[in-house]
Amino acid sequence: MHTVRYFGLGRRCRCLKTPFKNGIGIGLSAMTLSLQVLVASTLAGGFDGSVPLAGTTLKIIEINQHQIDDNVDADGIGLPKRFRINFDTRTIQPSKESMVRRSVRFKEPVHVENMLVLQGIDEGVEGVDDGVAWSLTISKRDGRSVLSASKNGAAYVVFGTCSAAGNLE
């Protein structure tokens, strides 16, 4: 056993050293790589950016320098309770029944490990100090999502879920 230092996370992990003898290690490595590709394609389940996604906001936490509020209403902060992610137009659109009517644009989707990451900046309403920078991560395994957003004096963490939406029309 040896200790590996993960610099990005600052954590230590005990890992087993596996010697590669008689070509067995190479065969096992090829088989492991094949299984990882198969599992990744199975787990993606539409979370790879190839099909539109439907999302639901579950829990919102607002943080500022004075308090943490874990009972925030989506409509109260201008966030749709249900939304659709359109990868063709790179927009997140509120559902038809949502009180929120504005769509937001995101940059090129990025794949990090088992997550799909969307990021953007919303300048908000003209003349109002409500611009926000945000990042949305979606698990490719189960569609659980976390949105983190920050603006002048406040930060938000939004937990939700996403699933394949099919046709957006």
Side-chain angles (χ1 to χ4, degrees):
M1 296 267 231
H2 67 284
T3 301
V4 176
R5 174 95 171 130
Y6 292 99
F7 293 99
L9 297 176
R11 295 181 182 172
R12 294 187 171 278
C13 171
R14 297 203 43 90
C15 303
L16 181 62
K17 286 186 179 180
T18 307
F20 293 126
K21 294 182 181 177
N22 302 329
I24 293 174
I26 294 171
L28 287 174
S29 294
M31 184 174 74
T32 301
L33 179 61
S34 298
L35 283 173
Q36 287 175 341
V37 169
L38 177 63
V39 168
S41 63
T42 303
L43 291 177
F47 303 117
D48 59 359
S50 63
V51 298
L53 300 177
T56 302
T57 300
L58 300 176
K59 173 109 176 136
I60 303 171
I61 301 170
E62 180 180 12
I63 305 156
N64 64 43
Q65 65 182 0
H66 303 290
Q67 69 180 8
I68 298 173
D69 184 357
D70 65 350
N71 191 23
V72 178
D73 180 53
D75 293 327
I77 61 169
L79 192 67
K81 293 178 184 167
R82 297 180 52 88
F83 56 90
R84 291 191 181 265
I85 301 172
N86 186 330
F87 293 98
D88 293 336
T89 61
R90 289 193 191 158
T91 57
I92 299 177
Q93 306 154 340
S95 64
K96 292 178 182 175
E97 65 273 358
S98 176
M99 291 179 62
V100 177
R101 298 305 334 142
R102 295 185 56 231
S103 296
V104 294
R105 297 189 54 74
F106 56 86
K107 298 178 181 183
E108 179 75 25
V110 177
H111 300 271
V112 178
E113 296 176 350
N114 285 314
M115 296 180 297
L116 176 62
V117 181
L118 310 178
Q119 296 178 316
I121 298 172
D122 182 13
E123 293 182 14
V125 178
E126 189 174 330
V128 179
D129 188 16
D130 64 347
V132 64
W134 57 270
S135 178
L136 173 66
T137 59
I138 303 168
S139 168
K140 292 182 183 181
R141 290 190 174 128
D142 57 14
R144 287 187 291 175
S145 62
V146 177
L147 170 76
S148 57
S150 61
K151 66 177 193 171
N152 191 15
Y156 299 90
V157 178
V158 182
F159 298 95
T161 60
C162 291
S163 61
N167 190 353
L168 286 176
E169 312 216 11

